[in-house]
Amino acid sequence: VFRGQALERALKNASADWFSKSQHTMGQACDVEIPGMPTLALARWAVEHLDDFDQIICECYDPAKGPNSGWVHISLVPPGFGTNRRQQLSYIRHPVNRQFVYVNGLVATA
């Protein structure tokens, strides 16, 4: 759930003076995987069952690698720190340039 700045820099291979604005560094986000539950189904379940959230992102899901590839990012802005956006996004490979891109909605392909 929580990743301090040092770990965030290591994960991103960033310089010592780089500062991440990731919700993980503020303890407002977690990445979730449930063995045996397809990643896209987990993301959709979270949208349907969580009363409030800032973002639900189906990240790095690749149907070619199987239904459990990737993970689901779930974040929540605490009371008094802003408004939860209820964003639903997917972070998937673009079909042409194969780079990861964010797209609206919980989808498997761009």
Side-chain angles (χ1 to χ4, degrees), residues 11-75:
L11 291 171
K12 307 290 188 205
N13 198 25
S15 65
D17 61 343
W18 180 76
F19 183 82
S20 174
K21 295 180 182 177
S22 167
Q23 287 180 294
H24 289 282
T25 64
M26 298 179 282
Q28 296 177 356
C30 65
D31 294 333
V32 180
E33 295 179 68
I34 298 178
M37 184 172 195
T39 305
L40 198 51
L42 174 60
R44 290 177 177 153
W45 183 94
V47 167
E48 292 173 13
H49 290 87
L50 294 178
D51 290 335
D52 204 10
F53 58 88
D54 188 49
Q55 293 180 315
I56 293 181
I57 309 172
C58 187
E59 295 188 305
C60 302
Y61 173 65
D62 182 350
K65 293 183 179 179
N68 293 110
S69 66
W71 58 89
V72 179
H73 168 99
I74 302 173
S75 64

Side-chain angles (χ1 to χ4, degrees), residues 24 28-30 33 38 75 78 84 88 97-100:
H24 289 282
Q28 296 177 356
C30 65
E33 295 179 68
S75 64
N84 285 300
Q88 299 174 43
N97 66 19
R98 303 300 294 155
Q99 298 294 313
F100 277 99

